[in-house]
Amino acid sequence: MIKLLADLAGYDGVFNLFRYITFRAIAALMTSLAIALLIGPRFITLLRARQGKGQPIREDGPEWHLLTKRGTPTMGGLLILIALCISSLLWMDLANGFVWTALLVTLGFGAIGFMDDFDKVTKQSHKGVSGKVRLGLEFLIAGLACSYIASRTGFTLYLPFLKDFGLYLGVFYIIFAAFIITGFGNAVNLTDGLDGLATMPVVIAASAFAIIAYLVGNIRFSDYLGIHHVPGSGELAVFCAALIGACLGFLWYNAPPAMVFMGDTGSLALGGALGTIAVVTNHELVLLIIGGLFVLETLSVIIQVVSFKTTGKRVFRMAPLHHHYEKKGWQEATVVIRFWIVAILLALVGLATLKLR
């Protein structure tokens, strides 16, 4: 919106600043952070009053979770979405189709998560919405988004470490890209099991993709690095910045001991947002590196289920992976901080692929 006003004013004087993605990215981050911090206390009080017992806690989880986390309200992801949307609408170029695609996927996945959280809270059950229904709706939203994105960016899967080289997949690219968005939404959802565990790795991944989006959207930088140029994708750097600010504001209240959980409302939305940005920038495979922590958490669940069904034995003491280390005796803060460190290292490796081409 502010970008539009600057366009109308002709970028004279101070309005010239709004021409720059970097300035608007910083402004978007600060705006979403301020919104989350300001409305957080009243928002959490409202959630607590409406939910009563809060999010149901797994009976088969670490024993101390039942004592320390019971009664904590969920659906805190709404706080992230409110801050993200207001900041994005203020600072992004609303004439850019990628902006609306990222917002709609984020809100669509958030709506699915909200339905799941609402069902769990009202019934005080872990079941929520049927897994098949959830996945079907997620894949539908992702498929529609990827169809639009592919019509703008092409149907080629670009490979990391290789200079501007990719595999033309045709219509199968849409299926693959939709799988990436859906899969990553659920990967972040699986990781969100400890206070602050999912939030900071999302901030780290979004920071990396803010850089990638800016470089991919700039023809000079993309040509120098040998990466595929996507006109208009640089605007998603502003979206990433707004996402970072909203997550940091939420983390203020989600830090151990958490005052609120993001729930599926937040985790599905954040994973969907990262997946969409990766697809727009043609860095789907790099997302698997930068978001490697989420991938590891997901693999731990898959390995555990396959092993138990085929051999009757469990590979991990409990899945996802963070619960395995809790069962081994690690304190919650230890697990969270060490996983943050892993997320930082993986993000650096992912960014290194830009130069190694």
Side-chain angles (χ1 to χ4, degrees):
M1 183 62 69
I2 292 178
K3 174 70 164 54
L4 176 61
L5 293 175
D7 288 338
L8 294 174
Y11 291 111
D12 291 328
V14 70
F15 285 113
N16 188 53
L17 286 172
F18 300 113
R19 183 192 302 273
Y20 299 102
I21 289 175
T22 49
F23 172 79
R24 287 187 287 114
I26 294 171
L29 189 155
M30 299 304 295
T31 300
S32 59
L33 174 61
I35 292 171
L37 290 175
L38 287 173
I39 70 174
R42 290 188 178 182
F43 187 79
I44 293 170
T45 300
L46 177 63
L47 289 178
R48 186 176 290 111
R50 292 294 181 91
Q51 294 179 15
K53 295 181 179 180
Q55 177 172 302
I57 307 300
R58 288 177 60 176
E59 298 289 341
D60 61 340
E63 296 78 10
W64 66 273
H65 280 208
L66 293 171
L67 299 174
T68 61
K69 298 183 183 295
R70 189 185 298 275
T72 304
T74 187
M75 299 186 191
L78 288 172
L79 177 62
I80 297 174
L81 294 177
I82 291 170
L84 170 64
C85 289
I86 293 175
S87 181
S88 295
L89 293 174
L90 275 174
W91 294 105
M92 295 185 72
D93 181 2
L94 301 184
N96 187 308
F98 293 141
V99 169
W100 292 106
T101 303
L103 276 174
L104 290 175
V105 170
T106 303
L107 292 175
F109 274 48
I112 296 169
F114 178 84
M115 290 190 295
D116 197 53
D117 286 334
F118 185 81
D119 196 65
K120 290 176 181 176
V121 170
T122 53
K123 296 179 181 178
Q124 280 298 296
S125 168
H126 295 289
K127 293 183 178 180
V129 178
S130 164
K132 291 182 179 179
V133 172
R134 266 182 46 168
L135 286 174
L137 290 172
E138 290 165 13
F139 202 81
L140 175 62
I141 294 171
L144 292 173
C146 292
S147 296
Y148 170 76
I149 295 169
S151 71
R152 295 279 305 277
T153 65
F155 298 83
T156 300
L157 174 65
Y158 289 90
L159 306 179
F161 306 110
L162 299 177
K163 187 175 181 179
D164 205 14
F165 175 81
L167 301 174
Y168 180 78
L169 301 180
V171 70
F172 293 105
Y173 173 78
I174 296 176
I175 299 173
F176 172 79
F179 176 79
I180 288 291
I181 294 175
T182 301
F184 218 75
N186 287 278
V188 175
N189 181 238
L190 288 172
T191 306
D192 182 36
L194 299 177
D195 299 347
L197 178 59
T199 312
M200 195 61 189
V202 167
V203 169
I204 294 165
S207 300
F209 269 97
I211 297 172
I212 291 172
Y214 182 76
L215 295 175
V216 169
N218 187 298
I219 191 167
R220 292 184 178 179
F221 289 139
S222 59
D223 182 63
Y224 170 73
L225 293 169
I227 55 181
H228 182 63
H229 171 57
V230 181
S233 62
E235 200 65 29
L236 290 183
V238 184
F239 181 82
C240 287
L243 184 65
I244 292 166
C247 285
L248 290 176
F250 173 77
L251 185 60
W252 185 268
Y253 304 106
N254 184 237
M259 299 169 61
V260 64
F261 299 141
M262 74 166 67
D264 292 1
T265 307
S267 57
L268 282 177
L270 294 176
L274 289 174
T276 305
I277 295 164
V279 172
V280 171
T281 57
N282 290 142
H283 277 68
E284 302 90 347
L285 298 182
V286 175
L287 174 64
L288 301 182
I289 301 173
I290 291 176
L293 176 66
F294 304 116
V295 176
L296 290 173
E297 290 271 42
T298 304
L299 286 176
S300 70
V301 174
I302 295 172
I303 292 169
Q304 187 85 323
V305 171
V306 172
S307 176
F308 186 74
K309 286 188 174 182
T310 56
T311 68
K313 298 180 180 180
R314 292 180 172 87
V315 176
F316 305 100
R317 297 188 180 185
M318 185 177 178
L321 192 59
H322 54 267
H323 287 320
H324 169 75
Y325 287 106
E326 278 193 294
K327 289 285 190 178
K328 288 186 66 175
W330 289 20
Q331 295 297 313
E332 179 178 23
T334 303
V335 177
V336 170
I337 293 174
R338 287 178 178 174
F339 275 42
W340 288 1
I341 294 171
V342 171
I344 292 172
L345 294 175
L346 289 171
L348 292 175
V349 172
L351 287 174
T353 64
L354 297 173
K355 189 61 179 175
L356 291 177
R357 302 181 199 205

